[in-house]
Structures are given as structure tokens and as C-alpha cells.
């Protein structure tokens, strides 16, 4: 179920400063037929000429991987106006990402072997490797294929979710020992807070904590190989996860760049930014955000995973439809007009419930430069959460003989993400490759940049 186009690059030698979770060296790596065949250091490296060479401000990582994206495309084509596999690949390469894992909540949720085959065939010509999750919903059963699964404990975007613990338990008993990723928010808590004034109040930390209690219990009861998606809070949830892990369970955790970079202290000061930043689970306080950053740095959180979820600006600004004019002004244009004419009225509309989800693939590598500069992550720590651990996740679904992702080792995939740690990047719409052509990070000046994306020895970005 894990597909990608094999680029037959006979022999390429790449030179520069290489980093993974355990290695940090100046040298050269030889890639043949898409696979790392030699790692050269010292005098041995001096004897071999380089085909591609990067300067001293660049760090060459094993290809970074995003294990949580919404590519939107399925056999219905109903959401291809937001994104498709081709534009998702373009955004990934633009963000330094060489493999992605696509979520199943497309218009026709991926639940069957037949649907899985459709996605496999569709992705077979792509440069970026694509792994597809299968969905877990009422009445589903595990597939014969070796795939990861995704379950939603409460409503997010799409119909694939459960309304209570008993419904979820009834289905999960059939998935004993399977790799299951969880969206953790409790349906009842969300329903009870649906009329609150802001997104963080409508989707409070309590929704995560209530659901987490029974999710962790089911992980233990059914020995699930579990992952907790787009984590948004610390405090009690961290304590619960630590206790769970102390009982011998190896449940892993994702965090999105949005939850690392923004918080509700920011949206309280600039409530007009909510439409650009609304996602599920919601942003929370600065205290929670700083715990997420520290947890990622210390290894408590395992992955940077974007939850890349593209929606059009028309959808994001659906509360700003004004059809009363002879020539209607809609979406972001009306938002900008109202922001200038009546800021308080604009802010009030921005606090209302809008469309959740943000495109983040284009800026994956850039957030790593911010973590290194602003929060003193070492390159090895970045390699752990952006390369090594995502590689470990996807490698388990590859055929046994296939080269693996995530490390600088002979026999591993010869794909690399090259980051220029000293060349600032201003995020602008004109530089984005996602089909929806906007980013929650627009206007942010990141301290570094993506220098190159290399797929199996070939520079493609």
C-alpha cells in the first residue's frame, strides 16, 4: 500500500554537512539507483568528486516526512478543487517533505481494499512516497493489507467519527494489536460547548482530557499500537500519557507546527486572525504551547506532523458572505473590507465558528529552522522528530525488501531535505504550491529556508 515512482539515478554524490538523529559530519554520500550506497568522510571523501554540493550554512537531513496530511483526492473527485495528489506533492516538495501519510476522511472515506487500491494506483507515479490510512467507523473491520488506521472520537471534518465511548469500544475490539491513530476529542463535551464565543472555548482542553481517559484505556485493553494526533495541550494530558507509558505502552504523539507557533494569547490580541488559524483541536494558551515545545524537544512528543488540511479562502471566510450588494463581495475580500471599515465588527465575525483546517505542508522545513533558532533545538533533535521517527512510522508498512526512510545509512532511501539555517524566508502566497494558495504562516519571517529537496539522488526543489 506504499507507493512511489522510482527515479533511476545511476550515481550521484552529494557533499556537505550531514545530520541525522545520531550523526553530524562533513562528508559525502553516494546515491545509486535511489539508494544510499556509500557514506564518505575524511580523506576517503576527498578522493570522490561531488555532483551536488552545499555550503557551510546548509544542513543535509535524511528526507523529512509528514505522517498526517489531507490530500483531499479520492475516486469521486469532489474535493479536488481544494487539493489533489499532484498539488499535495508539490506542496510537500516545497516544504522539504519526501514522504507523506494521507488521512482517510475524503468525500468517500477510505474503508475498503478496493478504495485502497484506487489510491495506490493513483499515487504510483508520484515522486513523493504516499502511505494511506484506512478509516475506522461504525461497522468497519480491519483490512487484509498492512495499513495504519485513523479513528475520530468526536466530530471534526467529515462524517467519519464516533459519538460516545461505547460505540467506539464496540468497533475497536476488532482491531486488537493494530496500528491506530486517534483524533482525541469527546463528542459530548464538544456538544455542550458548541455555543461558546471562541473556537478554543467551543473545543476546550476538557474535550481532549475526557476523551483521552477512555482512549488510553482502550489502547491498553486492545493492545493497540497507538498514536495520538495533533496534540494541543499539556498539563493533565501529559500526566495521563506518562502514567500510561509507565505501564509499558509505547503510544506516540504528533504535534502540528500551528500548535507550536500560535496560541490563544495571540488570538486574544488579534481575534481577526482566527479564520486563518482555526483547526481541530483548537489552539490553546501560551502555557500549553510552551509545554508542547518542551515536550517535543525532550522526546515526550515524537513527531512534527502538519495535519495539512487545505480549504479555500472562500470556505475559511464563509462567515463573511455579503450578497446584499449589487456586485456581491465574498470571503476574504469582504473580511478585509470590514476589517478596515469596522474592526470590532470584523473581529466579532472572526470569533464565530468557521471552517477548521489549515494548509501547512509548504512550510514544514521552515518551522524546523524556527525551532533551532528560537527554541535551541539541536539539528539532531530536529532529525529525530522530522526524519527518524516519521521514518520509523512509515517503514513498518513497507515491503520487507524496500529501502527505508529516516536515517543516513547505507541501504536507506537516498532522499534528503537540505535546510539553510542562516537564510531567512518570508512566507508569501506567491511561493506556495498548495492548490488553495494561502498559509497560516503568511507574513512570518522564518530564520532559515529550504535550500533543496532531493528525491533518490535527484534535486527536485
Amino acid at each position: 500500500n506504499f507507493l512511489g515512482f522510482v527515479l533511476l539515478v545511476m550515481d550521484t554524490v552529494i557533499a556537505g554537512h550531514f545530520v541525522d538523529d545520531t550523526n553530524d559530519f562533513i562528508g559525502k554520500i553516494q546515491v545509486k539507483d535511489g539508494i544510499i550506497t556509500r557514506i564518505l568522510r575524511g580523506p576517503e571523501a576527498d578522493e570522490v568528486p561531488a555532483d551536488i554540493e552545499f555550503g557551510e550554512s546548509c544542513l543535509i537531513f535524511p528526507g523529512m516526512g509528514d505522517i498526517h496530511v489531507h490530500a483531499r483526492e479520492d475516486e469521486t473527485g469532489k474535493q479536488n478543487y481544494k487539493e489533489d495528489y499532484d498539488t499535495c506533492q508539490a506542496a510537500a516538495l516545497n516544504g522539504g517533505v519526501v514522504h507523506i501519510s494521507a488521512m482517510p476522511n475524503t468525500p468517500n472515506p477510505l474503508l475498503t481494499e478496493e478504495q485502497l487500491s484506487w489510491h495506490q494506483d493513483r499515487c504510483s507515479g508520484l515522486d513523493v512516497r504516499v502511505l494511506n490510512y484506512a478509516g475506522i467507523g461504525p461497522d468497519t473491520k480491519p483490512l487484509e493489507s498492512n495499513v495504519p488506521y485513523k479513528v475520530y472520537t468526536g466530530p471534526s471534518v467529515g462524517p467519519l467519527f464516533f459519538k460516545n465511548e461505547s460505540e467506539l469500544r464496540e468497533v475497536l475490539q476488532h482491531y486488537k494489536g493494530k496500528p491506530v491513530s486517534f483524533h482525541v476529542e469527546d463528542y459530548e463535551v464538544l456538544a455542550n460547548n458548541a455555543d461558546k464565543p471562541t473556537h478554543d472555548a467551543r473545543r476546550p482542553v476538557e474535550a481532549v482530557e475526557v476523551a483521552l481517559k477512555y482512549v488510553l484505556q482502550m489502547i491498553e485493553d486492545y493492545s493497540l499500537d497507538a498514536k495520538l494526533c495533533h496534540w494541543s495541550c499539556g498539563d493533565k494530558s501529559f500526566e495521563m500519557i506518562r502514567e500510561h507509558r509507565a505501564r509499558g505502552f509505547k503510544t506516540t504523539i504528533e504535534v502540528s507546527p500551528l500548535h507550536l507557533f500560535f496560541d490563544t494569547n495571540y488570538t486574544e490580541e488579534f481575534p481577526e486572525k482566527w479564520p486563518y488559524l482555526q483547526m481541530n483541536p483548537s489552539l490553546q494558551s501560551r502555557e500549553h504551547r510552551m509545554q508542547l515545545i518542551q515536550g517535543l524537544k525532550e522526546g515526550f512528543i515524537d513527531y512534527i506532523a502538519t495535519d495539512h488540511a487545505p480549504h479555500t479562502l472562500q470556505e475559511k471566510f464563509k462567515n463573511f458572505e455579503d450578497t446584499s450588494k449589487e456586485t456581491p463581495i465574498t470571503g476574504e475580500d469582504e473580511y478585509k473590507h470590514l476589517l478596515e471599515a469596522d474592526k470590532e465588527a470584523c473581529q466579532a465575525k472572526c470569533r464565530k465558528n468557521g471552517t477548521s483546517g489549515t494548509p501547512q505542508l509548504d512550510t514544514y522545513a521552515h518551522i524546523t529552522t524556527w525551532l533551532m533558532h528560537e527554541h535551541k533545538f539541536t539539528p539532531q533533535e530536529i532529525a529525530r522528530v522530522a526524519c527518524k521517527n516519521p521514518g520509523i512510522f512509515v517503514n513498518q508498512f513497507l515491503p520487507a525488501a524496500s529501502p527505508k526512510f529516516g536515517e543516513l545509512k547505507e541501504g536507506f532511501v537516498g532522499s534528503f531535505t537540505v535546510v539553510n539555517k542562516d537564510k531567512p524566508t518570508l512566507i508569501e502566497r506567491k511561493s506556495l504550491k498548495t492548490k488553495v494558495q494561502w498559509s497560516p504562516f503568511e507574513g512570518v519571517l522564518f530564520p532559515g529556508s529550504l535550500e533543496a529537496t532531493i528525491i533518490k539522488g535527484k534535486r527536485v526543489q
Side-chain angles (χ1 to χ4, degrees), residues 322-394:
D322 185 352
T323 58
S324 64
K325 298 179 175 63
E326 186 174 337
T327 303
I329 302 176
T330 59
E332 191 186 34
D333 289 337
E334 172 62 14
Y335 157 82
K336 290 179 178 179
H337 172 77
L338 187 59
L339 183 62
E340 185 174 334
D342 189 341
K343 188 173 183 178
E344 287 190 7
C346 179
Q347 290 175 335
K349 281 195 173 186
C350 288
R351 292 187 184 97
K352 293 181 179 179
N353 192 27
T355 300
S356 291
T358 63
Q360 299 185 56
L361 260 175
D362 280 282
T363 50
Y364 190 102
H366 302 85
I367 202 75
T368 68
T369 71
W370 174 76
L371 288 170
M372 286 188 282
H373 280 256
E374 186 73 17
H375 295 284
K376 310 307 178 188
F377 277 59
T378 67
Q380 288 79 17
E381 288 168 340
I382 293 298
R384 183 185 72 239
V385 298
C387 311
K388 175 68 175 295
N389 288 344
I392 290 173
F393 177 78
V394 302

Side-chain angles (χ1 to χ4, degrees), residues 94-116:
N94 199 38
V97 173
V98 308
H99 64 85
I100 60 174
S101 300
M103 288 295 161
N105 57 332
T106 49
N108 186 24
L110 197 168
L111 304 175
T112 68
E113 291 284 353
E114 183 180 7
Q115 291 170 294
L116 179 63

Side-chain angles (χ1 to χ4, degrees), residues 54-74:
F54 296 98
E56 60 183 20
S57 65
C58 291
L59 299 172
I60 308 172
F61 291 94
M64 293 179 178
D66 190 349
I67 60 172
H68 190 142
V69 309
H70 297 268
R72 300 302 187 200
E73 184 175 356
D74 66 9

Side-chain angles (χ1 to χ4, degrees), residues 268-331:
E268 286 170 11
E269 185 176 359
F270 304 103
E272 65 271 19
K273 295 296 185 180
W274 264 121
Y276 296 107
L277 302 178
Q278 181 175 322
M279 69 176 287
N280 302 333
S282 175
L283 302 178
Q284 296 298 341
S285 71
R286 185 153 299 164
E287 290 75 17
H288 283 294
R289 182 172 71 86
M290 296 310 294
Q291 289 180 62
L292 294 173
I293 291 170
Q294 192 61 29
L296 184 68
K297 183 174 174 60
E298 293 175 351
F300 178 77
I301 296 175
D302 303 274
Y303 320 93
I304 300 173
T306 64
D307 188 18
H308 173 76
H311 295 284
T312 65
L313 287 167
Q314 194 78 4
E315 291 168 329
K316 291 296 285 184
F317 288 90
K318 66 181 183 180
N319 292 329
F320 287 83
E321 300 293 326
D322 185 352
T323 58
S324 64
K325 298 179 175 63
E326 186 174 337
T327 303
I329 302 176
T330 59

Side-chain angles (χ1 to χ4, degrees), residues 17-305:
H17 185 175
F18 291 90
V19 181
D20 67 9
D21 67 308
T22 58
N23 295 291
D24 185 337
F25 65 93
I26 306 294
K28 295 173 182 174
I29 288 183
Q30 183 181 55
V31 178
K32 186 173 183 179
D33 292 339
I35 299 171
I36 296 174
T37 54
R38 295 175 70 193
I39 297 176
L40 308 167
R41 312 184 198 197
E44 184 183 24
D46 295 337
E47 296 175 2
V48 179
D51 299 293
I52 306 172
E53 190 164 2
F54 296 98
E56 60 183 20
S57 65
C58 291
L59 299 172
I60 308 172
F61 291 94
M64 293 179 178
D66 190 349
I67 60 172
H68 190 142
V69 309
H70 297 268
R72 300 302 187 200
E73 184 175 356
D74 66 9
E75 66 275 19
T76 71
K78 289 180 179 179
Q79 290 187 359
N80 287 18
Y81 68 94
K82 302 187 193 200
E83 199 83 290
D84 57 43
Y85 279 117
D86 295 312
T87 57
C88 193
Q89 169 177 261
L93 295 174
N94 199 38
V97 173
V98 308
H99 64 85
I100 60 174
S101 300
M103 288 295 161
N105 57 332
T106 49
N108 186 24
L110 197 168
L111 304 175
T112 68
E113 291 284 353
E114 183 180 7
Q115 291 170 294
L116 179 63
S117 294
W118 184 93
H119 287 272
Q120 291 176 343
D121 292 342
R122 172 63 181 88
C123 297
S124 62
L126 299 178
D127 293 345
V128 169
R129 288 272 192 169
V130 180
L131 169 67
N132 291 99
Y133 290 81
I136 296 178
D139 303 319
T140 64
K141 297 286 176 63
L143 304 187
E144 290 295 324
S145 296
N146 179 26
V147 296
Y149 296 90
K150 177 68 181 293
V151 63
Y152 297 81
T153 61
S156 184
V157 176
L160 199 64
F161 64 90
F162 292 87
K163 292 184 177 180
N164 56 58
E165 178 184 353
S166 61
E167 281 186 7
L168 179 58
R169 184 174 286 276
E170 178 67 25
V171 173
L172 277 184
Q173 64 179 321
H174 301 294
Y175 290 81
K176 290 180 180 179
K178 297 294 184 182
V180 179
S181 294
F182 288 84
H183 180 128
V184 184
E185 288 183 287
D186 181 71
Y187 180 91
E188 185 174 346
V189 174
L190 296 178
N192 290 340
N193 288 278
D195 295 328
K196 292 294 176 65
T198 59
H199 193 59
D200 59 301
R202 289 187 290 269
R203 303 186 84 103
V205 170
E206 180 193 4
V208 175
E209 293 173 346
V210 168
L212 181 62
K213 182 177 180 180
Y214 57 77
V215 164
L216 293 179
Q217 187 60 57
M218 282 185 263
I219 290 170
E220 296 180 15
D221 290 347
Y222 303 127
S223 300
L224 301 176
D225 179 12
K227 174 164 62 69
L228 307 176
C229 296
H230 37 51
W231 212 247
S232 60
C233 55
D235 290 347
K236 183 180 177 180
S237 75
F238 276 21
E239 295 173 12
M240 295 167 69
I241 295 166
R242 285 192 178 99
E243 292 171 0
H244 164 76
R245 286 174 169 174
R247 292 192 288 273
F249 296 90
K250 297 181 179 180
T251 297
T252 58
I253 311 171
E254 305 170 1
V255 66
S256 80
L258 204 77
H259 287 108
L260 295 171
F261 197 86
F262 294 104
D263 54 48
T264 53
N265 295 55
Y266 178 80
T267 56
E268 286 170 11
E269 185 176 359
F270 304 103
E272 65 271 19
K273 295 296 185 180
W274 264 121
Y276 296 107
L277 302 178
Q278 181 175 322
M279 69 176 287
N280 302 333
S282 175
L283 302 178
Q284 296 298 341
S285 71
R286 185 153 299 164
E287 290 75 17
H288 283 294
R289 182 172 71 86
M290 296 310 294
Q291 289 180 62
L292 294 173
I293 291 170
Q294 192 61 29
L296 184 68
K297 183 174 174 60
E298 293 175 351
F300 178 77
I301 296 175
D302 303 274
Y303 320 93
I304 300 173

